[in-house]
Amino acid sequence: MANNKTQCFICNKEKLTFPCEGCLNRFCLIHLPEHYQILSEELNHIIDDYNKFKETMNEQKQNPHNHSLIKQVNQWETNAIEKIQKKAQYCRKIVIESLQTLINDIEMKFNDLNKQIQQLHKETDFNEINLNYLRNQLIEITQELNSPSNISIQQDSQSFINNISIILPKKPKFNKWEQNAITVAAENGQGQQLNQLNRPVGILIDKEKNIFIADNSNHRIVEWKHNAKQGQVIAGGNGKGNRMDQLNCPTDVIVDQQTHSIIIADSLNRRAIRWMDQKQQILIHNIDCQGLAMDKHGFLYASDYKKNEVRRWKMGEYNNEGIIVAGGNRKGNQLNQLDCPTFIFVDEEQSIYVSDRENQRVMKWRKDAKEGQTVAGGNGDGRNLNQLSSPEGIIVDDLGQIYVADSGNHRIMRWCEGKEEGEIVVGGNGAGNQPNQLKGPAGLSFDDEESLYITDYWNHRIQKYEIAL
């Protein structure tokens, strides 16, 4: 017979052995049951530990005040109170000793004053001067008794009690907004007066809550000061045309902080143009641009809805063709394609978010990526929570939450990256001009108080939705 015996892990003798797949050792027939008995005992220990943990969990669930973190807070409270009580006791002792000395001095003054009163009363030889003197003396010692001039309480601005605070994991703030909006610009309907708008598209709110509006069909950019009743034209407004001082259906406006100028998507003039103190400079020629963005490094981004791409330009190098950073692979619905890109947003990592209008989706292109990923919509044209209809304006907050002007559904949606569907933020009550309705929302912007501003395209107005308290 062939020698198929191996060494047992426990007795170290050459025997017929069997392997354990867990520890990869071999055991003879005598010690194999012993090995499994040890495993069974370990399993029982784990079960016991599990049951103990379950009891502990149930105990903490029923009595959260017994948690170790609560005990730390309680201990801090006890220590703080003990320190305060000791300090208070010491201060009381000092004050009582000082007051006793003060009262003794005042008592001596009072006795002296009392003698003077009795003397005057006895002699009946006094006048108004004497009475005023006595009255003033009594007022002085009364004030000194109630508010000692040489004793006071001083509070140190630096606390001797160590402050504590609770640090929680950073979670998204799912803000809610009032569902009835305030019209903050153009309450007077469609028109070309300074208190009117005509199909507003892009919008921007600065730190002073001034509103910059691409007043599309009035061929102008209007600045609406905070709480103003009318706007003022800061670019265009000289009729429809292609002169340097004219615009033709502008769709977006951004502020270049470094040059203190505005850059305009002059859509039907097929250019991006800078306006600074009534002086103009064409930055980009021959581009069917709807959306503009600028990142923290000063790079300018522009969408081209006919070439189905987004390009980036370095500041001061606008005379070249720029670099394609999204799309550029002809019209289509693949992950490396776009179909009529409109508004764009660039985050801190230079990722580009694109409203891919005809594909009914929002795409995210990471820096230097060859294709994007769908982060909102992408399930066809519709009104379900996993769908969009002609998306326009787009904002992404610091937590990566994506806000989209769902134009065809007359609502604003919020999507969290990786989620299958979004949620309605405001609107969604059908097309209309009531405070809780929108009609073709286009541009989006937040102010520093997180109020949401929307260009209500077909209602020719700007709506402000305040945070719900």
Side-chain angles (χ1 to χ4, degrees):
M1 293 178 62
N3 184 11
N4 60 354
K5 296 181 180 181
T6 56
Q7 192 176 50
C8 173
F9 180 75
I10 293 179
C11 66
N12 295 322
K13 294 181 179 179
E14 295 287 335
K15 293 183 178 181
L16 186 65
T17 58
F18 301 89
C20 172
E21 293 183 0
C23 66
L24 301 180
N25 293 317
R26 302 183 69 87
F27 302 88
C28 65
L29 284 173
I30 296 174
H31 293 108
L32 183 63
E34 180 181 331
H35 177 63
Y36 278 103
Q37 178 63 33
I38 293 172
L39 295 181
S40 297
E41 292 175 359
E42 291 182 1
L43 175 61
N44 290 333
H45 287 311
I46 292 173
I47 293 173
D48 290 341
D49 291 341
Y50 171 83
N51 290 331
K52 289 178 181 178
F53 174 80
K54 187 175 181 180
E55 291 177 4
T56 302
M57 184 176 64
N58 290 334
E59 168 66 21
Q60 291 194 7
K61 187 176 180 180
Q62 295 174 1
N63 301 292
H65 289 283
N66 292 334
H67 196 279
S68 61
L69 291 174
I70 297 297
K71 291 179 180 178
Q72 289 182 47
V73 174
N74 293 341
Q75 187 61 51
W76 172 85
E77 181 184 30
T78 301
N79 294 341
I81 291 173
E82 184 178 345
K83 286 184 179 181
I84 292 171
Q85 288 176 336
K86 287 182 178 179
K87 186 69 175 181
Q89 183 63 28
Y90 172 76
C91 290
R92 275 193 290 265
K93 179 182 177 183
I94 299 298
V95 169
I96 289 172
E97 291 175 354
S98 300
L99 283 177
Q100 193 60 52
T101 301
L102 175 71
I103 291 172
N104 291 337
D105 292 341
I106 293 176
E107 188 175 21
M108 291 175 62
K109 293 179 182 180
F110 175 74
N111 291 335
D112 183 59
L113 188 61
N114 188 41
K115 289 178 181 179
Q116 294 180 50
I117 293 173
Q118 292 177 357
Q119 186 67 27
L120 289 175
H121 189 268
K122 180 178 179 181
E123 296 177 354
T124 65
D125 183 16
F126 53 88
N127 54 32
E128 288 83 0
I129 296 175
N130 303 120
L131 297 179
N132 287 334
Y133 170 79
L134 296 174
R135 188 180 293 111
N136 290 334
Q137 287 296 304
L138 182 59
I139 291 173
E140 284 183 12
I141 62 175
T142 301
Q143 290 177 343
E144 193 170 356
L145 178 64
N146 295 331
S147 302
S149 59
N150 59 345
I151 304 174
S152 62
I153 303 295
Q154 179 180 346
Q155 296 191 38
D156 194 344
S157 60
Q158 295 183 347
S159 175
F160 71 101
I161 300 298
N162 293 329
N163 192 20
I164 64 168
S165 58
I166 308 300
I167 309 300
L168 297 175
K170 189 176 183 181
K171 293 182 178 180
K173 292 192 303 180
F174 295 104
N175 288 334
K176 300 291 184 182
W177 284 266
E178 298 289 352
Q179 294 303 296
N180 288 329
I182 304 168
T183 302
V184 291
E187 293 180 302
N188 301 287
Q190 182 180 15
Q192 59 184 9
Q193 301 301 314
L194 290 178
N195 63 355
Q196 295 177 307
L197 297 171
N198 191 352
R199 299 179 185 176
V201 187
I203 187 175
L204 171 71
I205 313 298
D206 68 11
K207 294 179 180 179
E208 285 72 41
K209 296 186 176 61
N210 301 318
I211 311 169
F212 296 81
I213 307 163
D215 192 8
N216 182 268
S217 295
N218 281 327
H219 315 291
R220 66 191 184 185
I221 304 298
V222 180
E223 180 183 3
W224 214 286
K225 296 288 187 183
H226 182 50
N227 290 331
K229 296 300 181 183
Q230 64 180 33
Q232 60 186 49
V233 178
I234 59 172
N238 300 305
K240 175 182 176 181
N242 60 6
R243 296 197 317 260
M244 290 292 285
D245 67 340
Q246 292 180 307
L247 299 172
N248 189 352
C249 294
T251 54
D252 203 6
V253 57
I254 62 173
V255 173
D256 183 352
Q257 299 291 350
Q258 296 191 19
T259 61
H260 303 289
S261 62
I262 61 171
I263 301 175
I264 304 161
D266 192 8
S267 179
L268 296 190
N269 279 329
R270 305 190 64 244
R271 65 191 183 187
I273 186 169
R274 183 199 304 277
W275 280 62
M276 182 167 57
D277 298 329
Q278 295 304 311
K279 295 179 181 179
Q280 302 85 34
Q281 175 192 7
I282 297 176
L283 301 181
I284 307 171
H285 296 265
N286 303 319
I287 181 169
D288 295 289
C289 177
Q290 173 138 356
L292 294 171
M294 183 170 283
D295 67 21
K296 63 181 181 181
H297 303 291
F299 286 95
L300 178 65
Y301 300 74
S303 64
D304 190 319
Y305 60 85
K306 288 190 177 179
K307 292 181 180 178
N308 300 295
E309 65 186 23
V310 178
R311 288 180 181 259
R312 181 182 71 200
W313 285 263
K314 188 176 181 180
M315 180 178 290
E317 297 182 4
Y318 301 116
N319 55 346
N320 58 36
E321 294 183 351
I323 300 171
I324 295 176
V325 291
N329 297 296
R330 302 184 304 279
K331 179 171 71 174
N333 61 6
Q334 301 302 308
L335 291 179
N336 67 342
Q337 294 178 309
L338 298 170
D339 189 355
C340 195
T342 56
F343 287 90
I344 54 179
F345 181 92
V346 182
D347 68 13
E348 291 289 312
E349 283 74 42
Q350 293 181 297
S351 294
I352 303 141
Y353 296 78
V354 187
S355 280
D356 192 11
R357 184 167 63 192
E358 296 306 311
N359 282 325
Q360 320 298 339
R361 67 187 183 184
V362 173
M363 299 291 290
K364 177 181 180 180
W365 290 64
R366 298 186 185 277
K367 185 181 179 182
D368 301 326
K370 300 301 181 184
E371 63 179 30
Q373 62 183 112
T374 303
V375 291
N379 298 298
D381 187 350
R383 64 179 61 184
N384 295 324
L385 292 180
N386 67 342
Q387 294 178 304
L388 296 170
S389 179
S390 300
E392 294 283 352
I394 178 172
I395 305 175
V396 182
D397 66 18
D398 294 338
L399 298 172
Q401 297 174 122
I402 304 157
Y403 296 80
V404 188
D406 190 9
S407 180
N409 286 321
H410 317 290
R411 65 190 184 186
I412 308 301
M413 299 287 290
R414 173 169 56 197
W415 290 66
C416 294
E417 189 173 334
K419 297 294 184 181
E420 295 295 326
E421 61 182 34
E423 62 175 324
I424 299 172
V425 173
V426 296
N429 299 305
N433 60 5
Q434 298 303 307
N436 68 339
Q437 291 180 307
L438 298 166
K439 192 173 183 181
L444 298 178
S445 188
F446 285 114
D447 66 17
D448 57 4
E449 295 179 343
E450 297 183 311
S451 293
L452 178 60
Y453 295 73
I454 301 167
T455 53
D456 197 5
Y457 184 82
W458 290 111
N459 284 324
H460 316 285
R461 64 187 182 181
I462 307 299
Q463 298 292 85
K464 175 184 177 182
Y465 291 85
E466 296 181 334
I467 287 281
L469 300 177

